[in-house]
Amino acid sequence: MPRIEPKLMAKAYSLNKLLPLLLPECRTIVDAKRELGWIKKELTTPFQVLRACQMRFMHYPLQYILKSQPFGIIDVPCRRGVLIPRWETEEWTVDVLNRIPDNLPISLIDLCTGTGCIPVLIKKQRSLAHCIGVDVSEKALALAKRNSKQNGVDVTLLKRDIIKDSSNIISKHIDLLTCNPPYISKETFTKDSRASVRVFEPRLALIGNLEFYQNLIQHWLPRVDAFVYEIGDISQAKYIIAQISKSPLHARLWSVGIRSDLNDLPRVVYGFRKESKNFDKANMFCGFGRLYH
Ligand SMILES: C[S@@+](CC[C@H](N)C(=O)[O-])C[C@H]1O[C@@H](n2cnc3c(N)ncnc32)[C@H](O)[C@@H]1O
């Protein structure tokens, strides 16, 4: 990341002496001003505001300072050790949510649930849904519990390492599986991630390769009617599409597609059974993304 020009620092200082502290993370005066506005709105004393700006200068994530992040209509509690929900995840989650019929008791399992942002938001807006969140991290599950309590919803939370053992997590067929797995390669994480992510957010939540997508094919496919998995790049989606296309059984039963985000980057690989139980998943995912199989 290039250094901030001294001229820009001086200009920021002339506007407000706190702005230069925000520039290394915000990069522009407009963004720094916006962030200072948020900080002042959330924190009460000038000392707290100054302290927050100093922490930002050290790249400490804003959401860990303010202790929350909006996600759809809910506010998700944030704390160090648990991944901060991202707008990319919020975008597809809200789209999925709006496609779920509100008069049916659908079953949903969210793997790698972190703060529980996905199942808590869905349960909040689809009260008949039965939602389960699974994560290996105690810290994440404690925060997901707080999230569901704070938002007044009941989500079942389970501690499991899904790569080591996915057996016995569910006993019956599930309508919808969602997952935002760790998907950044070690190399990309070291070379390209921002300091606020690299230093302060949990590696367990970020670094991964194909293992969670392999787990989808090997374990989850026979147990669900539809899946939505976030991806970091197109190779992860291609892997899923190739695995489904090459198996005559999967190829006959499943449709698979890719959904891009607002920046037009491939962000989700999703699939649904051509014929499913409970309600029509093909209809639910109509126009969600582009089908490749
Ligand atoms: C990218 S974060 C997603 C968090 C949340 N779903 C979101 O979208 O903000 C990935 C999550 O996977 C969890 N995780 C990592 N390895 C896991 C494993 N083997 N089994 C279950 N959960 C795992 C991490 O603890 C982390 O909370």
Side-chain angles (χ1 to χ4, degrees):
M1 190 75 74
R3 283 187 54 196
I4 304 283
E5 295 264 332
K7 245 171 51 189
L8 188 63
M9 281 289 192
K11 185 170 176 207
Y13 188 83
S14 72
L15 295 170
N16 183 318
K17 65 181 191 312
L18 294 176
L19 288 179
L21 294 171
L22 301 177
L23 271 182
E25 270 296 309
C26 296
R27 311 306 295 175
T28 66
I29 289 182
V30 172
D31 285 356
K33 270 180 159 174
R34 188 185 306 125
E35 187 165 311
L36 185 57
W38 290 335
I39 292 173
K40 282 185 169 166
K41 196 169 150 229
E42 295 295 320
L43 303 176
T44 38
T45 69
F47 176 74
Q48 284 174 327
V49 172
L50 170 65
R51 186 83 192 100
C53 294
Q54 287 169 337
M55 287 165 90
R56 289 297 282 151
F57 190 67
M58 307 304 288
H59 302 287
Y60 202 77
L62 182 66
Q63 293 86 344
Y64 289 158
I65 297 171
L66 302 182
K67 300 188 170 52
S68 80
Q69 166 71 20
F71 193 83
I73 62 157
I74 63 171
D75 260 329
V76 173
C78 295
R79 60 168 284 201
R80 186 133 180 223
V82 185
L83 191 95
I84 299 160
R86 304 296 203 262
W87 69 263
E88 292 92 335
T89 311
E90 179 185 7
E91 193 198 351
W92 66 254
T93 304
V94 170
D95 193 357
V96 168
L97 162 68
N98 288 332
R99 291 161 180 276
I100 298 176
D102 56 8
N103 56 348
L104 288 180
I106 76 143
S107 51
L108 172 131
I109 185 160
D110 180 50
L111 304 175
C112 299
T113 201
T115 56
C117 51
I118 298 168
V120 171
L121 177 65
I122 290 177
K123 180 72 184 172
K124 183 85 186 172
Q125 297 205 257
R126 292 292 180 271
S127 57
L128 295 180
H130 176 61
C131 298
I132 304 171
V134 183
D135 205 287
V136 70
S137 152
E138 295 274 8
K139 273 189 187 166
L141 288 167
L143 200 60
K145 192 170 168 192
R146 183 161 9 128
N147 185 10
S148 55
K149 202 167 162 201
Q150 217 169 274
N151 283 292
V153 298
D154 190 11
V155 169
T156 305
L157 295 165
L158 303 173
K159 182 175 187 302
R160 287 295 154 80
D161 182 331
I162 59 163
I163 299 301
K164 284 198 180 136
D165 184 15
S166 284
S167 58
N168 303 327
I169 296 181
I170 49 164
S171 54
K172 57 178 189 161
H173 202 79
I174 292 275
D175 285 308
L176 179 60
L177 163 66
T178 55
C179 182
N180 175 17
Y183 55 59
I184 305 174
S185 71
K186 251 189 203 146
E187 205 197 354
T188 307
F189 178 78
T190 316
K191 271 200 343 218
D192 297 340
S193 59
R194 292 163 73 102
S196 62
V197 175
R198 204 171 49 249
V199 180
F200 296 107
E201 294 206 75
R203 284 168 182 233
L204 176 69
L206 292 159
I207 299 175
N209 203 335
L210 280 178
E211 58 273 34
F212 292 88
Y213 306 96
Q214 284 161 349
N215 174 258
L216 164 64
I217 300 288
Q218 286 158 11
H219 183 79
W220 293 100
L221 225 46
R223 295 170 169 82
V224 300
D225 268 1
F227 65 83
V228 181
Y229 267 54
E230 190 165 312
I231 53 171
D233 69 65
I234 191 78
S235 65
Q236 292 146 347
K238 280 186 175 163
Y239 170 79
I240 295 288
I241 294 168
Q243 293 300 309
I244 289 182
S245 313
K246 82 175 188 196
S247 146
L249 177 67
H250 292 333
R252 185 164 51 79
L253 298 177
W254 286 87
S255 293
V256 198
I258 298 174
R259 182 193 195 281
S260 296
D261 65 21
L262 272 177
N263 290 335
D264 214 18
L265 294 171
R267 185 57 61 199
V268 151
V269 59
Y270 66 102
F272 52 86
R273 284 178 187 268
K274 291 170 189 165
E275 282 173 27
S276 56
K277 299 175 191 155
N278 206 359
F279 65 98
D280 183 4
K281 309 296 184 305
N283 187 33
M284 172 182 169
F285 283 101
C286 178
F288 181 67
R290 186 168 160 208
L291 289 178
Y292 285 82
H293 171 87

